[in-house]
Amino acid sequence: MNPRLDRRSVLAGLAVGPVVASTTSAFAQAEPLTAAEIVRRAHAAAGGPDWMRPRSLTLTGRGLFWPQGTEAGRIEVPDYRMWRVYPAVSTEAHAANGWVRIDAKLADGSTYFQAAYDGETSYNQNGPIPGAQASREWSENFGFGIIRFALDEGFTLDRLPDDTAEGRVIHVVRVNDPQGGKTLFGIAADDYAILWLGFATPRGWHERRYSDFYRNPGVAFVQPGRVRLYYDGIKQNEIAWTAYALNENLPRSLFQISPRT
């Protein structure tokens, strides 16, 4: 028997033993949350029923865009606005629903782009656009709202491994919608804010990061003040939402853009 070898073996046992015991104990103390319970807590943290089933939302702010994915192509948009009328139900995460309009204007007042959907027809700054083109564009942009319906009948949820986002631990939940769409949400382990989103698109793997949350006085609805959008790991957009208005009466005509003359 080699005394030197024995000593190393003993020391290794002494070193490893307490670590294994401590780790096992730590895991045993944590009561696992189900994906459904995590989503319930996220709903409550975001504003409860007011956030889950809003009628409309108007957002104003500013944006930065990198359409080529490089700093050299950076475009500043000081006037960025969105109007949204929400659907009462949704079963498909990555398809247009409800009504939506986005206007982006440059510093000189000219239009950088417009996009809209009135429930039937999609539009850009030049007026109505073909259905196939519209379908692809919306599939790259719709996705976040499905978490509002994630506890409805027909949906299933999976809890994935925890991770981090914005320097915080997140619970990752996959929402499987009735139409086969899969959307990942990262929900903060401490206060259940929704910090991260991910899903596959024709353009590549899409991620969004949410931060700088705020509420209007006397309103439960929580709005992220900063949203960053990525495709295949490269930042494409960064939006600062500086103000919001909830449940205004927005006419359908607002979501219909006439062709330029």
Side-chain angles (χ1 to χ4, degrees):
M1 180 178 293
N2 186 333
R4 190 174 179 183
L5 181 61
D6 280 350
R7 183 170 179 273
R8 287 179 178 175
S9 299
V10 170
L11 289 175
L14 290 173
V16 173
V19 173
V20 172
S22 174
T23 302
T24 303
S25 175
F27 277 111
Q29 290 171 5
E31 186 69 26
L33 290 170
T34 66
E37 179 59 25
I38 292 168
V39 170
R40 284 190 194 95
R41 295 185 185 191
H43 285 172
D50 289 346
W51 182 86
M52 290 171 63
R53 295 295 188 270
R55 297 192 308 276
S56 73
L57 180 66
T58 300
L59 291 166
T60 57
R62 60 186 181 275
L64 296 172
F65 293 81
W66 295 267
Q68 287 82 43
T70 62
E71 185 60 25
R74 170 182 171 133
I75 296 173
E76 297 187 17
V77 177
D79 186 351
Y80 192 72
R81 307 187 186 203
M82 185 177 80
W83 298 265
R84 184 85 166 97
V85 171
Y86 290 96
V89 296
S90 178
T91 61
E92 186 173 2
H94 310 301
N97 56 35
W99 305 343
V100 61
R101 175 170 173 164
I102 300 171
D103 283 12
K105 292 187 178 181
L106 302 174
D108 62 4
S110 63
T111 296
Y112 176 44
F113 74 84
Q114 290 178 298
Y117 177 71
D118 68 356
E120 294 180 358
T121 303
S122 294
Y123 304 81
N124 61 20
Q125 59 272 18
N126 299 312
I129 57 178
Q133 178 185 346
S135 177
R136 175 178 174 128
E137 290 183 4
W138 290 128
S139 71
E140 296 172 358
N141 291 281
F142 274 79
F144 180 85
I146 203 65
I147 197 170
R148 291 183 163 96
F149 304 92
L151 299 177
D152 289 2
E153 185 177 353
F155 286 80
T156 61
L157 303 172
D158 300 303
R159 181 171 175 181
L160 306 186
D162 288 354
D163 206 338
T164 59
E166 299 300 309
R168 301 166 65 184
V169 176
I170 57 172
H171 300 311
V172 181
V173 172
R174 179 168 55 212
V175 176
N176 308 296
D177 66 50
Q179 306 304 319
K182 299 181 184 299
T183 312
L184 276 57
F185 290 89
I187 297 166
D190 51 6
D191 64 3
Y192 296 94
I194 302 169
L195 302 181
W196 179 85
L197 163 75
F199 59 89
T201 78
R203 186 175 171 183
W205 179 251
H206 179 44
E207 297 181 20
R208 298 181 201 169
R209 301 177 190 176
Y210 302 93
S211 59
D212 300 358
F213 298 92
Y214 66 97
R215 289 184 173 96
N216 283 348
V219 177
F221 187 100
V222 175
Q223 174 61 38
R226 185 185 185 202
V227 183
R228 287 168 288 166
L229 293 83
Y230 300 75
Y231 287 95
D232 290 337
I234 298 172
K235 185 163 68 171
Q236 300 286 324
N237 307 5
E238 180 169 340
I239 308 300
W241 293 123
T242 55
Y244 76 83
L246 191 64
N247 296 334
E248 295 178 314
N249 292 320
L250 303 177
R252 188 181 180 196
S253 59
L254 175 64
F255 303 89
Q256 299 167 332
I257 301 173
S258 300
R260 291 182 176 182
T261 56

